[in-house]
Amino acid sequence: MNKHSQIEHEEDEWAGLKQQVWIFLGALFGILLSSLLLIGGVMLLTKPANADVPDAAKAHQRTLTRTAYAHWGLDAPVATFAAQIHQESSWRIDARSPAGAEGLAQFMPATSEWFASINPRDLTIAQPYNPAWAMRAQVLYNRWLYNRITAADACNRMAFTLSAYNGGLGWVQRDQALASASGADRLVYASVAPFNAGRSAANIHENRHYVDVIINRWQPLYMQAGWGVGVCNDI
């Protein structure tokens, strides 16, 4: 091989080598890019649930937790109470419903006055727009209802409690009685839920949705975000 041919041969080899290097680098870049996209997708899918908890809620987490432990006990379903406030007012301390319910816990004025009057030590006077008062009243009222409800277990008892908070204890008891008279289990919320002792279609729909969305939608959100335990996983 003459010198000229040898140079051409070496140049061809070098060109081939460079092409292989570029192919390798391209493949490596593709692998890295795919990996980054995969990691980014996983991070997006597994982002902390706390990212979906309203900022307004985070400002009240400690107060609600302390209040629940103080007035319910160390087994307090804090995530359930948080979910309830989420549904009631979306954590707006100045919330006022078209019907006139007020504050974080959406107490009607007459209920605020009455409940404060039977809990003078803990509630003094009605202050529904005071967030600390509203959360204290919420926990105490849930406990008041819970103590007056009979159910198969804590999960069903809390479901009935939420139903009573929204629609009244008397309606829960009448629905239970109707269910029992019809052969259904009055102690299981899912067995009682289809029965309506006399409410309008709109009111019964709202009441059943209220329990379902708190336990099955909002409660898991707050549990995953580290707000403590809930009453059950589904109802």
Side-chain angles (χ1 to χ4, degrees), residues 53-69:
V53 171
D55 289 338
K58 299 170 191 176
H60 299 294
Q61 182 176 2
R62 290 185 179 180
T63 301
L64 179 60
T65 301
R66 286 196 302 267
T67 299
Y69 287 167

Side-chain angles (χ1 to χ4, degrees), residues 2-219:
N2 59 40
K3 187 175 182 179
H4 180 72
S5 298
Q6 183 177 358
I7 291 173
E8 288 182 342
H9 178 69
E10 289 175 351
E11 287 178 346
D12 289 342
E13 287 185 340
W14 176 241
L17 181 60
K18 286 196 295 183
Q19 184 178 18
Q20 292 177 22
V21 169
W22 280 114
I23 292 173
F24 173 76
L25 290 175
L28 181 61
F29 178 77
I31 293 172
L32 290 173
L33 181 60
S34 298
S35 299
L36 288 172
L37 290 173
L38 178 61
I39 292 170
V42 170
M43 290 178 67
L44 181 63
L45 292 172
T46 60
K47 65 178 180 178
N50 198 47
D52 295 325
V53 171
D55 289 338
K58 299 170 191 176
H60 299 294
Q61 182 176 2
R62 290 185 179 180
T63 301
L64 179 60
T65 301
R66 286 196 302 267
T67 299
Y69 287 167
H71 296 288
W72 189 283
L74 296 181
D75 61 341
V78 180
T80 310
F81 296 145
Q84 186 179 27
I85 294 175
H86 190 119
Q87 178 62 21
E88 286 284 357
S89 63
S90 297
W91 294 94
R92 292 182 294 112
I93 63 175
D94 61 346
R96 181 179 174 86
S97 77
E102 301 171 325
L104 280 182
Q106 288 291 279
F107 272 56
M108 293 295 288
T111 304
S112 293
E113 295 289 346
W114 161 72
F115 201 59
S117 72
I118 66 171
N119 291 278
R121 186 186 68 178
D122 294 313
L123 298 177
T124 59
I125 61 173
Q127 304 174 66
Y129 291 112
N130 178 328
W133 187 96
M135 288 184 281
R136 190 159 60 249
Q138 174 214 9
V139 172
L140 287 167
Y141 189 45
N142 275 316
R143 172 56 84 178
W144 188 88
L145 294 167
Y146 189 87
N147 289 343
R148 287 160 175 77
I149 288 171
T150 303
D153 51 35
C155 179
N156 283 285
R157 197 173 178 187
M158 194 64 194
F160 284 123
T161 296
L162 293 171
S163 178
Y165 188 106
N166 171 261
L169 179 60
W171 282 116
V172 168
Q173 293 170 336
R174 287 191 283 276
D175 288 345
Q176 285 182 306
L178 178 59
S180 181
S182 303
D185 190 345
R186 68 186 307 274
L187 302 180
V188 176
Y189 176 79
S191 297
V192 175
F195 294 90
N196 178 11
R199 278 175 277 189
S200 69
N203 285 343
I204 196 70
H205 175 76
E206 177 195 342
N207 185 258
R208 299 315 189 232
H209 173 73
Y210 181 85
V211 177
D212 176 67
V213 75
I214 288 173
I215 292 180
N216 296 325
R217 183 176 180 184
W218 302 130
Q219 179 182 262

